């Protein structure tokens, strides 16, 4: 799955390094060298006039120092370099680098959008020892935004419910999913979302796995649940189609295990399907 490599250690203070791994973004797209998807080196950062004082410490990938930042406007890139969306890199970029890029994208966007205090509008500075911006005037503290979202695979006998979400960029059948509301537990969100989206009630919720998902800053919390009662009734503002898939049905095609969604589905896929 898309995840931070085990050899990564977060850092909250910059560290001098002559050859860092630099993740630079504009509009959610990462700057890479086109022919091998390598990150820009120090010479390229100099050529692009990157302000190194606002680059954010990300951490250590083994012994390599990693940093992240952004361009306020789209840079004039030399031949051989391009800005690429993270999704377009799924099948091509080194797995460890891709996991770090997903993390770096969230840190860079947090830094870009918290240069000024959201409470009083004054400037902010990095707090010591943690990933936090602190207002120089009122002391308001801003941490990276993380948006928890539930995902649930509903089981009914030997069948499972999969749905096609209208907003999905992939247009595949996947488990139900939705963001938590303020004040909700994950379990409450599952019961609410399932009833709102397909009109069913469920029971016996069981945790499956979690995954950070950088579109834009989600934390996916995957569960299974057993069908309790109800008939499928679609929320047509959210769901294009939802149906039960059993051992005798034609299942959605297998996809690489980039997201916890595909892992969850394949863990319940009948043999040969």
């Amino acid at each position: 799955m898309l995840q931070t490599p085990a050899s990564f250690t977060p850092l909250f203070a910059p560290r001098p390094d002559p050859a860092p791994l630099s993740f630079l973004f504009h509009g959610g797209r990462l700057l890479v060298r086109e022919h091998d998807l390598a990150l820009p080196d120090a010479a390229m950062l100099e050529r692009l006039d990157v302000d190194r004082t606002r680059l954010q410490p990300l951490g250590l990938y083994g012994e390599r120092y990693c940093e992240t930042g952004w361009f306020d406007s789209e840079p004039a890139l030399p031949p051989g370099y391009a800005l690429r969306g993270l999704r377009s890199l799924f099948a091509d970029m080194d797995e460890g680098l891709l996991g770090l890029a997903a993390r770096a994208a969230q840190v860079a966007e947090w830094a870009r959008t918290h240069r000024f205090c959201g409470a009083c509008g004054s400037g902010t500075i990095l707090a010591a020892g943690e990933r936090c911006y602190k207002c120089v005037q009122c002391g308001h503290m801003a941490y990276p935004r993380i948006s928890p979202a539930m995902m649930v695979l509903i089981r009914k006998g030997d069948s499972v419910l999969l749905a096609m979400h209208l907003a999905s960029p992939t247009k595949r059948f996947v488990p139900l999913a939705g963001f938590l509301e303020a004040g909700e537990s994950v379990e409450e969100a599952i019961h609410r979302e399932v009833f709102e989206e397909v009109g069913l009630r469920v029971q016996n919720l069981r945790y499956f796995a979690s995954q950070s998902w950088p579109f834009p800053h989600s934390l996916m919390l995957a569960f299974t649940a057993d069908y309790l009662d109800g008939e499928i009734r679609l929320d047509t503002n959210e769901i294009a189609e939802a149906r039960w898939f059993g051992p005798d049905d034609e299942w959605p095609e297998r996809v690489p295990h980039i997201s916890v969604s595909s892992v969850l589905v394949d863990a319940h896929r009948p043999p040969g399907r």
Side-chain angles (χ1 to χ4, degrees), residues 46-271:
E46 185 74 20
R47 181 173 178 178
L48 294 174
D49 196 26
V50 173
D51 182 359
R52 300 192 65 90
T53 62
R54 74 179 191 184
L55 293 179
Q56 296 293 312
L58 191 66
L60 293 177
Y61 184 26
E63 299 298 320
R64 295 288 301 276
Y65 174 67
C66 306
E67 60 188 7
T68 185
W70 72 94
F71 297 100
D72 284 320
S73 57
E74 186 156 349
L77 299 178
Y81 282 82
L83 291 164
R84 292 275 302 270
L86 292 182
R87 290 184 187 275
S88 74
L89 300 172
F90 279 174
D92 302 319
M93 179 172 267
D94 171 80
E95 185 176 325
L97 277 182
L98 184 60
L100 290 177
R103 190 181 188 113
Q106 296 177 71
V107 172
E109 184 62 8
W110 159 75
R112 186 185 73 84
T113 56
H114 287 84
R115 290 172 283 179
F116 300 95
C117 177
C120 74
S122 299
T124 60
I125 58 173
L126 282 173
E130 56 183 340
R131 205 174 301 284
C132 172
Y133 271 111
K134 185 174 182 179
C135 177
V136 298
Q137 184 66 34
C138 72
H140 177 71
M141 302 178 78
Y143 295 87
R145 181 178 177 183
I146 299 172
S147 302
M150 71 85 200
M151 175 182 295
V152 62
L153 188 75
I154 305 171
R155 303 180 297 201
K156 182 181 182 183
D158 55 6
S159 299
V160 302
L161 185 85
L162 298 176
M164 187 178 297
H165 293 74
L166 286 172
S168 168
T170 60
K171 302 304 178 186
R172 291 197 299 264
F173 280 96
V174 296
L176 295 176
F179 288 103
L180 273 67
E181 296 286 347
E184 272 187 328
S185 69
V186 184
E187 292 82 1
E188 288 170 337
I190 290 173
H191 288 293
R192 175 184 57 78
E193 286 279 0
V194 168
F195 189 77
E196 287 178 356
E197 293 189 347
V198 294
L200 303 180
R201 293 199 302 156
V202 295
Q203 60 183 351
N204 301 330
L205 275 57
R206 295 289 184 271
Y207 174 75
F208 180 80
S210 67
Q211 181 187 28
S212 175
W213 192 242
F215 303 108
H217 35 62
S218 304
L219 174 63
M220 302 302 302
L221 302 162
F223 285 73
T224 61
D226 293 333
Y227 167 83
L228 178 60
D229 60 31
E231 297 295 328
I232 295 176
R233 172 186 47 79
L234 300 183
D235 176 357
T236 55
N237 293 317
E238 298 281 343
I239 305 295
E241 186 178 355
R243 56 189 173 92
W244 298 103
F245 289 81
D248 298 326
D249 296 312
E250 186 68 27
W251 276 55
E253 65 176 332
R254 292 180 184 270
V255 296
H257 285 173
I258 297 295
S259 74
V260 68
S261 173
S262 60
V263 178
L264 179 58
V265 171
D266 283 354
H268 295 82
R269 186 183 293 269

